[in-house]
Structure formats: structure tokens, C-alpha cells
Amino acid sequence: MSFQNAQFKNIGNDEGDVLDFFNDTLRNLVQKNGGDNTFSFVTEEFDNKNAPMPIGSKTRMKLTHSGHTISQIEKGFINMKIAFKVKFQDEIEEDAFALDTEGLNRIFIGFKDAVEIIEDCRFWVDGKLVDTYRQDQMIRESFAYNAIRAKDVKIASPKAHSLWEKVSKYLPGVCGVYIPLKKFENGAVVEVKMELIIPFTDQLALQAWRLYPNRILGEIEEEIRTSLEGLVWCQIDPIAVADVLRFMDYNQDALYYSPTTCPITAHFVQIDRPAKIVIGIEEKNEDDQDLGDGLITFNAFSNKPGKTNVWTLKNNTLQLASNGTIYIARTNCAGFGVKHDVVLGLMETLKEPIIIPAQELTREIFEGSPSPSGLEVSKSIPLRNATNITMMFPRNSKDCTVFQNVMYKKCQLTVNKKQYPDTEFDTTTDGRFVQYQLIANELDGYIEATDEFVRSISLPLNKSIENGGLRYKSTSAADNTSFGINFQLERGNAGYVFDGIDTGSQSITITFKGLPMHDGINDTYYYPEVDDVGKPLEDYHPPQPEMWICSDTYWTWSLNDGVQYYSRGVPNGYE
């Protein structure tokens, strides 16, 4: 009965042939050392613009160091410290949080993944531009890549990823900061400072790089342009803040009072987009709680007889008030030297090119838009080694790392008259749909997806049809903003098999269709922002849907041609 579990773990069945186990397994546990005992980490400042530098400017950073013969790209990382200013669109009144003596009302602001600060990217080798590579959609590409990475990978990289399970519990190790709401009183502009750690391999183009012979092939530099477009924010549940503060600095006299239920927006929200937050706490008589339209009130304990603390909630928008500054900008390059005979062997090996697999994301925006009756859009484009097409559904033009479930039924993609899948998806939350998404993203088997990804593809935004299909006023306290419909076009192996669709220069027609699961204002995609205020419905229509195409690409390393990038085609012998 345990055989299947052992297979998933890739263990077991290696001790039946005892002689083989000793000769091939145990004898190879200790490897021959080709290094020369000089491993080191070297810190390099960003090159052509010394910090501090404005966010949005171009700069170069070294991914290798000339003191290393071999660079361990998989261990290297970028270290940034940035500062910028934010404010709320609607002014929070002075002394609105005077009763919040312990500072339980706090917001998170940061990135889902630290690499999303990079907007544009190019590579240089020994001062020569790799002119076949240019990615100006790095924010979206990095979001798409990191959203589907295994949970264990993201947990193991502090300051590189903001898992919702940490953010929602007010825990450290996220790529962002927590700020008390009382700092925003009286319309204050608040400075935010945060540290970001970006492993080199959090970038899709470098995902397969491990050991790179920079002394032989040349020093690698990356040219980037940064942006704050990918910032997200949300309020943290005051109960979670109280739990942490009570544990860290227990004080019997402190009043860790908060509502038992606080219906704030319980998921990430893109910067410059609204979320429901607490806007103030007021002591009132128990029978005096009329606060007008658009406001939600909840009561919390007060130690005064006949009084109650009334917490008021309302939609508000966190906005950038400055472009920001990078005041520390470094790369940390890992590497080591090797013995002379190893160098000679590498030079011999590199006479024939080594192929390093990579992938690249291309963004296409459809011309058509959704309607109350559903969505059917088409676009004619050529495809190059396309492994996946992911349909993305922004609800606002600012959305680039926040996407919620469209709550559609009868969804299907048609590529050059071939349908994916052959039987349309019944809904975008049911078991078959979820299983398809896990398989398409290589998250089936024993690799565990993050909680927020699973919730995004399985957590309904509406009640069941049997219960009227009404939209929930608030989803459960779980982030669900990593939604996309991924259609798998190749058999898998994450870019190591050139098995996708390639049409050369010939354009083919790609069509997506789907219908809303619920009608009218319960259509959470066509009317995404219907709230208690009740603006005209025509104000809510989302922009055009997008198609994110993931294509197999590759690098070659060779003694004659150095480092080359191929955005098209298939290596010789790998057709």
C-alpha cells in the first residue's frame, strides 16, 4: 500500500539488488572534488548608477564576479532596500485611531514576489549586449512564474515572497512592511521602507541556470528598469495583530480589544485600487450607531458601562505619493575556483555548445471585451514553441499581479481549430477544472501548490445556484488573487522538451469563449466592484482580457560563440 507514496517521493525500490545498491548508490554518495577550496560570496554594488537611485531608472548589476572561475547562479541573489511614500485617497480623520492604543489596525504593503519590482530586463556578457533577449513584461512574467512555484520553495526564501499565510497572520519574512493606520491620520503622507531579496533564479529566463563558467565564457551583467506597479496592499485582521503583539510583548494592562468579526478586504489588492479597511474607532452609547450610507460598523468591547467601541469600515484607496528611491542596491554572487585539469576539461567540453532551457512570456491583449452574456474573443498571431496559453482577466487597467476568478462556465480555448480541452470546462471552480490547472502548472503529484493559488482556482465568489447565486459580501480570509486559466499545449516537463505549438511566421486564430455562472450584478467579472454604495453599473466593466503565452526558448554556452539566447527555433537534434 505504501508503494505509490514511495514512487511520489522518488525513493524506494533501490535496495532489492544489494550488490547494485553498494556499487552504484553507496559508492557514489561522496563525489570527487573538482574545486580548489575557494568558495565565497562576493557583494557587488549596482554598476552604472550608484545608490541612491530613483525607482524607474535603468541600471546594471553583476550576476558573476571575476574572482570566481565558476559562478553558482542558483545561490546568487539581489539585495535591494527601497523607500517610497503612500497616502490614502480619502483622508482619515485626525484622532480616528485614538482608541486603538495598541495599534491593532495595520496595513501590509509590499510585493507578492520581490522580483516583481523589475519591469524591464536585458543581459550583457563581457560588455556585449545579448541582443536577442528583451523582456519588457517582467512584472507579469515574474508573477506568472512565481505564482505556480511550489509552496516549499516560497517558504524557504524570506523577503523574497509574501505568502498570504504569513501576511494574514502578521508574521515577518515577507517582502513588504506593516504600517499602523494611525500614521495616516489627518491625510498624512507616510514613508515606506522595505528590504527585498531576489534570488537570481526567481527570473524565468534564468530558472535552469546552476553552475556557469564565467572565467571561460564571460562575466554576466543584467540591465534592469524598476517599477512600483506591482505593489500590493491589504489590511491585516486586527485579531491576528493582537495575537502576535500579545505573544511578543505580553502586557496584562494592555487592551487588545477588537471585534470578533472585522469584514475587511481579506486578500491582496493592487496599489492604487480600493479595499475595505477600518477608518476609525469611536466610543459611543450602545444605542447610538447610525453612521450613514457606505459605512459598516462593528462593536468591540469597552470597559466603560453603557459604552461600546464602534469600529467603522469603508472602501479606501492606497495611492503612491512618490516614485521612490533605491538606497541600497547590491548583488551577492556565489562561486568558486576549480583545478587546472577541470578548466581544461571544461574548455574541451564547451567546444560543443551546451543547451540551457529557458522560457519567455509574451502578453497579447484581445480587442473584444466581455458582455453581460459572456465572452468570446479571438486574435490571430503566430506562435513560437508555445507550451501554455494562460487567459488572464484584469478587472482594472492597473491590475498586473492581482487577478480573481471570473466565475465562468463552459470555458474553452480554440487554437487553429483545435479545442483545449476537448470537452469545455463546466465551471472555473469545480474539481475537474482544478485538476487540469494543477497538471498544466506541473503541480500535480507530490509538489504542493501554495494555498493562495489553490484558493484562486477553487474558491467561489458566489453562493451556489441553489442558494440564489448571490455574490458573497466578503470571501473567506484567504487570498484568491492568483487566478488564470492555463491551457496546456505540450505534454510537459517544464520547458525541457520542445513539444509546443510552433507556426513559424504564419498567424493562426486563437479563440476563447465562456459564459457567466451568475447573471446581473452577481456576475463578479462583468460587474466586479458592485458594493453597498451602488454606483451605476456601467462604471464597473473590466478592460479587455489578456492572453499570456509561455514559449520554450534556450541559451547556448560555447567556447566559440560564448553565451547566446534563442527566442525562436529548436536546437539541432532536439526537434
Side-chain angles (χ1 to χ4, degrees), residues 54 195 270 423 483:
E195 180 182 17
Q270 205 81 66
T423 302
F483 179 81

Side-chain angles (χ1 to χ4, degrees), residues 12 60 67 71 196 211 227 242 261 268 278 293 355 381 421 473 502 505 538 575:
R60 288 195 207 174
S71 291
L196 304 175
L211 299 182
S227 170
T261 302
F268 289 125
V278 177
D293 293 338
I355 298 167
I381 56 172
K473 291 185 177 180
D502 195 316
S505 59
E538 56 267 22
E575 294 85 355

Side-chain angles (χ1 to χ4, degrees), residues 161-324:
H161 306 283
S162 296
L163 284 170
W164 179 256
E165 63 192 62
K166 285 190 173 183
V167 172
S168 63
K169 295 177 182 177
Y170 189 60
L171 297 178
V174 297
C175 49
V177 293
Y178 304 102
I179 305 172
L181 275 169
K182 64 174 60 178
K183 286 192 174 184
F184 293 93
E185 290 180 345
N186 205 22
V189 175
V190 177
E191 184 176 44
V192 177
K193 290 186 175 182
M194 68 179 68
E195 180 182 17
L196 304 175
I197 298 295
I198 306 172
F200 294 162
T201 52
D202 275 7
Q203 301 175 79
L204 187 61
L206 300 177
Q207 61 173 310
W209 285 44
R210 296 183 64 189
L211 299 182
Y212 168 71
N214 54 291
R215 187 74 63 83
I216 300 173
L217 296 180
E219 305 297 336
I220 300 284
E221 286 185 290
E222 184 174 359
E223 180 185 287
I224 64 170
R225 186 175 68 244
T226 51
S227 170
L228 297 177
E229 192 178 328
L231 282 171
V232 295
W233 74 284
C234 62
Q235 182 174 353
I236 309 304
D237 190 337
I239 296 175
V241 177
D243 287 343
V244 173
L245 295 181
R246 185 181 292 112
F247 176 79
M248 295 178 64
D249 187 20
Y250 184 74
N251 180 356
Q252 290 186 351
D253 298 325
L255 302 177
Y256 297 107
Y257 299 142
S258 65
T260 55
T261 302
C262 194
I264 54 177
T265 299
H267 57 72
F268 289 125
V269 178
Q270 205 81 66
I271 192 70
D272 289 326
R273 299 286 294 125
K276 191 163 290 181
I277 64 169
V278 177
I279 61 168
I281 305 173
E282 189 175 358
E283 184 179 78
K284 289 201 170 191
N285 296 325
E286 291 182 343
D287 58 353
D288 182 16
Q289 297 178 36
D290 183 12
L291 296 176
D293 293 338
L295 300 175
I296 296 177
T297 64
F298 275 80
N299 296 346
F301 178 82
S302 173
N303 58 358
K304 296 182 181 180
K307 300 288 186 179
T308 185
N309 287 342
V310 178
W311 293 45
T312 305
L313 292 84
K314 187 179 181 181
N315 278 345
N316 208 340
T317 301
L318 188 69
Q319 300 176 321
L320 283 170
S322 73
N323 291 331

Side-chain angles (χ1 to χ4, degrees), residues 6-304:
Q7 289 294 98
F8 278 148
K9 293 180 181 179
N10 198 27
I11 62 173
N13 202 30
D14 58 1
E15 298 176 19
D17 188 332
V18 177
L19 182 60
D20 179 71
F21 178 74
F22 275 85
N23 285 337
D24 294 337
T25 303
L26 290 183
R27 194 171 294 281
N28 292 322
L29 291 179
V30 178
Q31 298 183 16
K32 181 180 178 180
N33 180 23
D36 62 358
N37 303 335
T38 58
F39 172 82
S40 66
F41 263 105
V42 180
T43 300
E44 290 277 8
E45 303 291 333
F46 280 20
D47 270 1
N48 61 338
K49 288 197 175 180
N50 295 326
M53 69 185 79
I55 292 176
S57 59
K58 285 188 176 182
T59 185
R60 288 195 207 174
M61 55 189 183
K62 294 181 179 179
L63 305 186
T64 61
H65 185 265
S66 58
H68 298 142
T69 305
I70 304 293
S71 291
Q72 286 189 272
I73 299 298
E74 61 181 344
K75 293 184 181 296
F77 62 92
I78 305 163
N79 174 210
M80 286 190 198
K81 291 187 178 180
I82 65 174
F84 54 91
K85 294 180 180 180
V86 294
K87 65 177 182 178
F88 277 105
Q89 178 177 289
D90 297 333
E91 185 175 311
I92 294 177
E93 295 179 359
E94 187 175 1
D95 295 328
F97 293 98
L99 293 177
D100 187 9
T101 55
E102 305 305 323
L104 302 187
N105 287 277
R106 306 189 181 203
I107 63 167
F108 166 83
I109 180 167
F111 295 91
K112 286 187 172 183
D113 308 285
V115 67
E116 290 157 11
I117 193 174
I118 302 175
E119 180 181 36
D120 188 292
C121 169
R122 307 195 79 172
F123 291 98
W124 298 72
V125 182
D126 278 349
K128 182 180 179 181
L129 177 67
V130 181
D131 56 9
T132 51
Y133 180 87
R134 172 72 183 270
Q135 179 55 279
D136 59 4
Q137 293 290 333
M138 273 286 287
I139 296 175
R140 290 172 175 83
E141 180 181 86
S142 296
F143 161 71
Y145 170 46
N146 285 280
I148 62 170
R149 296 183 77 187
K151 183 176 181 178
D152 288 349
V153 173
K154 302 184 80 168
I155 289 176
S157 300
K159 299 292 184 181
H161 306 283
S162 296
L163 284 170
W164 179 256
E165 63 192 62
K166 285 190 173 183
V167 172
S168 63
K169 295 177 182 177
Y170 189 60
L171 297 178
V174 297
C175 49
V177 293
Y178 304 102
I179 305 172
L181 275 169
K182 64 174 60 178
K183 286 192 174 184
F184 293 93
E185 290 180 345
N186 205 22
V189 175
V190 177
E191 184 176 44
V192 177
K193 290 186 175 182
M194 68 179 68
E195 180 182 17
L196 304 175
I197 298 295
I198 306 172
F200 294 162
T201 52
D202 275 7
Q203 301 175 79
L204 187 61
L206 300 177
Q207 61 173 310
W209 285 44
R210 296 183 64 189
L211 299 182
Y212 168 71
N214 54 291
R215 187 74 63 83
I216 300 173
L217 296 180
E219 305 297 336
I220 300 284
E221 286 185 290
E222 184 174 359
E223 180 185 287
I224 64 170
R225 186 175 68 244
T226 51
S227 170
L228 297 177
E229 192 178 328
L231 282 171
V232 295
W233 74 284
C234 62
Q235 182 174 353
I236 309 304
D237 190 337
I239 296 175
V241 177
D243 287 343
V244 173
L245 295 181
R246 185 181 292 112
F247 176 79
M248 295 178 64
D249 187 20
Y250 184 74
N251 180 356
Q252 290 186 351
D253 298 325
L255 302 177
Y256 297 107
Y257 299 142
S258 65
T260 55
T261 302
C262 194
I264 54 177
T265 299
H267 57 72
F268 289 125
V269 178
Q270 205 81 66
I271 192 70
D272 289 326
R273 299 286 294 125
K276 191 163 290 181
I277 64 169
V278 177
I279 61 168
I281 305 173
E282 189 175 358
E283 184 179 78
K284 289 201 170 191
N285 296 325
E286 291 182 343
D287 58 353
D288 182 16
Q289 297 178 36
D290 183 12
L291 296 176
D293 293 338
L295 300 175
I296 296 177
T297 64
F298 275 80
N299 296 346
F301 178 82
S302 173
N303 58 358
K304 296 182 181 180

